[in-house]
């Protein structure tokens, strides 16, 4: 979500506050924007920035009040309205958030953020068809945002439209080569198609990017255990042992691998 331009006056104080915010000095930026808001209560830019800082400081109720003041002064201010609904989601007020996102779209039908969050809500509600529709709109409005493609891929995946999901996971990784969640999910598409080498390669790549990724370790352990059992059932004990040992390399506490190695003839 993008920020908003300076909409009102405030002189050098506004620019000083914005500079401190950009530098990450949230307490000082908050103090300066509060002063701007006292001097100019109609300054919606300052109020939006106050809301943003409160949100960053995990003070959702104060953030909500700041954005609500902007909405009252300027009902068409989509930045404030989107943040109101993001905060409502954070506070568990999904129904209110849903209706407000729809209102944002009545003001700005091409708003990628509103479509994105509506799609996310539909996903949570398990309305796969509606989620796909909204996330497609978000993708079309902002085709360079990796997470929009990832959410759409998840929606396709949940609806068993795996080829579409694969295309969107691929696009996610093209836009963000370090998107490990997309790699983990994409790996399961390959694995369930019987393309084990492709799946293992993806999960191993995740571990090169993040050696602590528990999902990738669990995925690899599952794949190696499955392969070991198949070798064991076909009488290829040496290969089975090797794969159970590989399981323990990625998941040293794996009970299945430990038990099978202990009882392997």
């Amino acid at each position: 979500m993008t920020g908003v331009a300076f909409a009102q006056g405030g002189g050098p104080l506004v620019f000083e506050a914005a500079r401190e915010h950009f530098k990450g000095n949230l307490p000082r930026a908050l103090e300066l924007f509060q002063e701007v808001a006292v001097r100019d209560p109609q300054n919606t830019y300052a109020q939006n920035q106050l809301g943003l800082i409160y949100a960053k400081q995990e003070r959702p109720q104060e953030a909500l009040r700041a954005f609500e003041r902007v909405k009252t002064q300027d009902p068409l201010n989509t930045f404030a309205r989107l943040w109101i609904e993001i905060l409502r989601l954070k506070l568990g007020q999904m129904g209110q958030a849903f209706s407000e996102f729809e209102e944002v779209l009545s003001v700005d039908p091409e708003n990628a953020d509103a479509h994105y969050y509506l799609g996310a809500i539909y996903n949570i509600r398990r309305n796969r068809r509606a989620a796909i529709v909204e996330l497609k709109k978000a993708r079309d409005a902002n085709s360079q945002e990796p997470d929009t493609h990832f959410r759409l891929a998840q929606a396709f995946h949940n609806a068993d439209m795996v080829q579409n999901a694969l295309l969107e996971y691929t696009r996610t990784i093209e836009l963000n080569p370090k998107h490990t969640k997309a790699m983990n999910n994409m790996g399961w598409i390959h694995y369930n198609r019987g393309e084990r080498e492709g799946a293992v390669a993806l999960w191993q790549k995740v571990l090169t990017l993040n050696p602590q990724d528990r999902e990738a370790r669990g995925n690899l352990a599952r794949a190696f255990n499955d392969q070991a059992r198949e070798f064991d059932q076909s009488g290829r004990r040496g290969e089975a042992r090797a794969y159970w040992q590989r399981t323990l390399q990625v998941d040293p506490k794996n009970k299945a691998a430990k038990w099978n190695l202990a009882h392997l003839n």
Side-chain angles (χ1 to χ4, degrees):
M1 186 189 307
T2 59
V4 291
F6 297 140
Q8 288 93 2
L13 195 60
V14 171
F15 290 96
E16 183 183 353
R19 184 166 57 250
E20 293 299 322
H21 193 181
F22 180 77
K23 288 161 56 178
N25 187 353
L26 298 185
R28 179 57 177 160
L30 181 63
E31 180 184 338
L32 291 169
F33 277 123
Q34 285 172 333
E35 187 173 343
V36 174
V38 169
R39 293 184 185 183
D40 180 8
Q42 302 303 310
N43 191 313
T44 55
Y45 172 77
Q47 292 289 351
N48 270 334
Q49 295 305 299
L50 284 173
L52 200 53
I53 293 169
Y54 285 134
K56 290 178 179 179
Q57 292 180 330
E58 298 294 329
R59 299 159 66 179
Q61 294 291 357
E62 291 165 283
L64 196 57
R65 284 193 290 271
F67 289 125
E68 288 281 10
R69 284 193 291 270
V70 176
K71 180 184 172 183
T72 299
Q73 294 172 16
D74 179 10
L76 300 182
N77 192 304
T78 54
F79 182 83
R81 295 185 72 148
L82 281 168
W83 268 102
I84 288 169
E85 303 330 313
I86 291 168
L87 290 164
R88 290 199 187 284
L89 286 176
K90 183 179 180 67
L91 294 168
Q93 301 167 2
M94 188 178 297
Q96 290 173 276
F98 186 87
S99 62
E100 282 284 352
F101 282 128
E102 289 189 317
E103 285 188 31
V104 169
L105 290 173
S106 71
V107 175
D108 179 9
E110 302 300 319
N111 192 293
D113 293 311
H115 285 301
Y116 176 89
Y117 285 108
L118 276 176
I121 292 172
Y122 278 127
N123 248 338
I124 293 169
R125 292 177 170 178
R126 298 187 180 278
N127 187 336
R128 310 304 187 199
R129 185 185 299 274
I132 289 169
V133 169
E134 293 300 331
L135 290 166
K136 277 184 174 180
K137 291 177 181 177
R139 177 199 61 189
D140 294 341
N142 187 5
S143 62
Q144 298 304 307
E145 175 53 54
D147 279 342
T148 301
H149 289 274
F150 177 66
R151 287 276 191 177
L152 180 55
Q154 285 184 306
F156 279 133
H157 204 163
N158 290 335
D160 291 326
M161 299 170 68
V162 293
Q163 190 58 40
N164 299 76
L166 194 60
L167 290 172
E168 293 298 330
Y169 285 135
T170 300
R171 183 58 179 151
T172 302
I173 296 166
E174 288 173 351
L175 292 169
N176 178 5
K178 295 183 179 181
H179 203 295
T180 54
K181 290 182 179 180
M183 293 178 197
N184 275 319
N185 289 1
M186 190 174 174
W188 279 113
I189 291 179
H190 289 300
Y191 193 81
N192 291 331
R193 286 179 165 183
E195 301 162 359
R196 288 184 175 177
E197 289 184 7
V200 167
L202 275 168
W203 295 330
Q204 288 176 329
K205 184 176 180 179
V206 170
L207 290 183
T208 65
L209 294 169
N210 177 16
Q212 306 307 315
D213 192 298
R214 295 177 64 182
E215 185 178 354
R217 288 187 177 279
N219 294 342
L220 285 168
R222 161 77 182 277
F224 294 153
N225 266 336
D226 287 350
Q227 187 69 70
R229 279 193 293 270
E230 289 178 15
F231 279 133
D232 186 40
Q233 289 167 3
S234 64
R236 298 162 67 178
R237 303 287 188 264
E239 287 151 298
R241 181 184 301 277
Y243 268 91
W244 274 316
Q245 289 171 340
R246 290 184 73 181
T247 300
L248 293 178
Q249 288 174 0
V250 296
D251 181 10
K253 296 182 179 180
N254 191 280
K255 293 180 181 179
K258 285 183 176 183
W259 190 92
N260 280 293
L261 281 170
H263 293 82
L264 192 65
N265 294 327

